[in-house]
Amino acid sequence: MGINVWLVTLRIADLPLPDVLKDFVIRERGGIQELYPPQEEAVRKGLFDGRNMVMCTSTATGKTLMAELVMVNAVLTRGGVKAILAVPLRALAYEKARDLRIYERLGVRIAVTTGEYDKEDAWLMNYDIVVTTYEKLDSLLRHKAEWLKQVGVLVIDEIHYIDDDKRGPTIESIIAKVKALGLNTQLLALSATVGNAEEIANYLNAELVVSDWRPVKLREGVYYDGVIYYADGSRALIKDLGNPVLSLVMNTIINGGQALVFTNSRSNTVKLAQQISHYICNYGTKLIEPSALTKISSSIIETSQSKLLGEELARIVKCGVAFHHAGLDMDTRSIVENSFRDRLIKVVVATTTLAAGVNLPARRVIIHEYRRYEPGIGMEELPVMEYKQMAGRAGRPGLDPYGEAVLIARSEDEIDYLIRNYVNARVEDVKSKFLTDKNLATHVLSAIASGYASSIDDVMRFVSSTRVHSEWFPQE
Ligand SMILES: Nc1ncnc2c1ncn2[C@@H]1O[C@H](COP(=O)(O)OP(=O)(O)OP(=O)(O)O)[C@@H](O)[C@H]1O
Ligand SMILES: [Mg+2]
């Protein structure tokens, strides 16, 4: 017809997938009709032809949808094939599993498993898609459960965690074990924040999609003394309430948005949430719905396993504010997340528990502290990668018309420093952490104990299929 197909947006309806799946997605996935450009590129590079793929595309570009389609398609079209979705955090595993459950209506059985590492978990055999954490997946691979042979798709979400001291070597171990087992598995690795995406793609023998396109505009800036200094040079005046976080939060909710505040310790989340709730209950009750919040408050009292924390949270929640950290049990955290989604809780103050992957209606993300205490080291600056992950929680498609991320400067000089070193900075390359003494010992011993290596040669082979090998011996 003379039309250049490369210029035509790819529609869900045109994908090489079963009609039943395409119709279902169009109907049930919030009316998604067309692919975003980075999603389209993944399709053109062979995502549905079984190619390994690294998608390193901005936050909120729908990487999850692509993972879903690949996994469900494999289950529906390749009899008996299973898929695994591995994520870094338990909370994220539950969120992803909940979202995937819609596919149960197509007969796809979804399981989530995160706890108890020393079990084979034979029950998983009866499921088609298993959502899990890296640690749990590594444990399942150690047990070499029979059903693993049926895994045709493995998705590793948030692959930049390779850089994490604790979780990174686990990801490398997973990949080494998958290789050692000779599983015929398509690998899909996802992240918004990898500086050296090409190296990761080489390591995984994968096609690469890199993009900084974002469906919802994200403005980034720095707050100091009543003014937000945006990276594009523009400024916004904010009513100064004497406390930077409070000023930014109130400015957000007065304008109809919700705020997600990140700080560097559990006690800081509680302290900031107390200050904000105090202010709203005294001066901003018109902004909240007290009767609905009272109900949420009661359910927190009933649910929370920690009496003291639960009572404090329940008190604060009545003012439309909550804190969120790993000291709260999962059910209580879910109440907070769901009430924020329902737009009843207007402000959540969190540690990094909510910093990656989650979709929440946060118009403005506020980064209270860009430094964090590291035991034995002292105060350390956050990596750019972590900042960009937090910032990317703002402005999610379908939830807000735009997003904003604001860092807080403590002095005038810090404004430029933060713009340069965070807002305009390039995310770091991810580096292997496999070779630190403790990690090397733990993972090599576990490979030996679980039968992945029984000679020095085997150990060498195992280590050489981790990422560290390509970093240390790049010529090979
Ligand atoms: N083609 C599309 N059209 C419209 N909305 C879409 C499309 N693809 C995905 N979405 C929606 O975009 C939102 C964000 O998607 P998702 O959580 O997958 O982002 P992500 O790329 O994984 O981001 P992050 O790096 O922050 O984890 C979801 O609500 C999803 O339903
Ligand atoms: Mg994601």
Side-chain angles (χ1 to χ4, degrees), residues 95-108:
E95 184 188 301
K96 297 292 176 201
R98 190 201 56 208
D99 293 350
L100 279 168
R101 289 233 150 81
I102 56 167
Y103 294 101
E104 285 177 344
R105 278 186 270 150
L106 293 181
V108 179

Side-chain angles (χ1 to χ4, degrees), residues 63-64 96 157-158 357:
K63 295 184 281 296
T64 316
K96 297 292 176 201
D157 202 0
E158 315 295 350

